[in-house]
Amino acid sequence: MMSKLLVRPHAPDPSGSVLEITPQSAGWTHVGFRVIKLAAGETFDGAEPGRETCVVVMSGTAEVTAGDLSFGAIGGRTSVFEDRAPGAVYVPAATTYAVTAASAVELALCTAPGKPGGRARLIAEVDMPRETRGKGTNTRLVRNILPETAPAEGLLVVEVITPGGHWSSYPPHKHDTAAEGEETALEETYYHRLNPPQGFAFQRVYTDDRSLDETVCVQDGDVVMVPRGYHPVGAPHGYDLYYLNVMAGPHRKWIFRNDPAHDWIMRQA
């Protein structure tokens, strides 16, 4: 029986969409996520009347317009595992946008509630540097695409590469409770890709009281939804794991709490 937290891709619909998560389908309030695959020359047109969008060209090159602005050709990665930033555009609520593929494109549409009136903008590659976090087999490579230091209403977007044999989102942490200065309540999706693509990885989602405790085997192209609880990820030897995170909640700040049982790991010399 497949976990209710796991969403698998399907054959492309007429728009090119291969995966969709809405607040209604997820049973939550804030985060929306779609993956669109376009062949060269194809166009995707979008607009979210009550939602802001971060358009991420995960691989390939595309021409992107939003409202009356044209951002030209952005992206250019051959795969999500290439060591360079994706293409990204922030689109405020109620602003129409279009993405026209110059090559085969894998596109992520990350959304959260928002109000009209903002200005679309290109997120420059220089503003998405890769940083290394952790040490040993807890080392992972992180790019903040839309961090809390950049303007937006609710969205937080980040991508991570976890090398084979390493752990990520570890020690296990959570952000499901509003506690001023200590923790924020954020819903989250993990969009997983594997290299080579026949690989697999594991993600556990669990709460302190174990009312939620699921361990999910993820394959290339899967999404794991994290409505609450701790959510560590492990990549087996030989398979690098990429994931794109989308977070949103009542307050646009990422403050997490480590599982007290495993927080000792962070205090090691």
Side-chain angles (χ1 to χ4, degrees), residues 243-265:
Y243 56 77
L244 181 71
N245 284 143
V246 183
M247 292 182 282
H251 301 287
R252 190 173 179 257
K253 197 167 186 64
W254 183 55
I255 305 176
F256 62 86
R257 181 173 75 87
N258 288 333
D259 184 339
H262 306 296
D263 190 55
W264 64 270
I265 294 167

Side-chain angles (χ1 to χ4, degrees), residues 104-129:
V105 162
E106 183 178 21
L107 185 70
L109 305 177
C110 316
T111 71
K115 297 177 182 178
R119 184 76 168 162
R121 70 178 189 277
L122 177 71
I123 302 173
E125 288 192 34
V126 70
D127 294 328
M128 296 181 276

Side-chain angles (χ1 to χ4, degrees), residues 23-217:
Q24 292 75 26
S25 71
W28 58 31
T29 306
H30 299 277
V31 171
F33 182 71
R34 293 181 72 183
V35 176
I36 310 292
K37 293 190 176 181
L38 301 174
E42 293 182 334
T43 296
F44 177 85
D45 295 308
E48 294 273 1
R51 299 180 68 79
E52 62 181 350
T53 303
C54 184
V55 177
V56 182
V57 182
M58 293 184 287
S59 63
T61 302
E63 300 267 348
V64 179
T65 61
D68 59 357
L69 299 175
S70 176
F71 301 105
I74 67 170
R77 292 196 300 202
T78 57
S79 96
V80 295
F81 294 95
E82 184 179 344
D83 185 10
R84 61 179 293 188
V89 171
Y90 173 76
V91 182
T95 299
T96 60
Y97 63 91
V99 181
T100 301
S103 65
V105 162
E106 183 178 21
L107 185 70
L109 305 177
C110 316
T111 71
K115 297 177 182 178
R119 184 76 168 162
R121 70 178 189 277
L122 177 71
I123 302 173
E125 288 192 34
V126 70
D127 294 328
M128 296 181 276
R130 175 177 283 185
E131 61 181 84
T132 301
R133 291 185 191 165
K135 60 184 179 179
T137 55
N138 198 38
T139 301
R140 61 270 196 209
L141 307 170
V142 179
R143 287 188 195 275
N144 284 300
I145 298 170
L146 192 60
E148 61 189 63
T149 52
E153 292 192 63
L155 273 174
L156 298 166
V157 182
V158 61
E159 64 176 17
V160 179
I161 290 179
T162 307
H166 287 217
W167 285 83
S168 200
S169 296
Y170 191 85
H173 70 263
K174 75 179 185 77
H175 38 72
D176 59 11
T177 302
E180 182 66 32
E182 298 179 3
E183 186 178 347
T184 46
L186 298 169
E187 303 158 356
E188 186 169 21
T189 53
Y190 277 67
Y191 174 60
H192 293 279
R193 298 298 310 277
L194 284 139
N195 183 34
Q198 71 270 25
F200 61 90
F202 292 101
Q203 183 157 25
R204 185 185 179 197
V205 182
Y206 68 98
T207 56
D208 286 308
D209 63 4
R210 303 304 192 265
S211 60
L212 173 61
D213 190 354
E214 296 192 28
T215 300
V216 182
C217 180

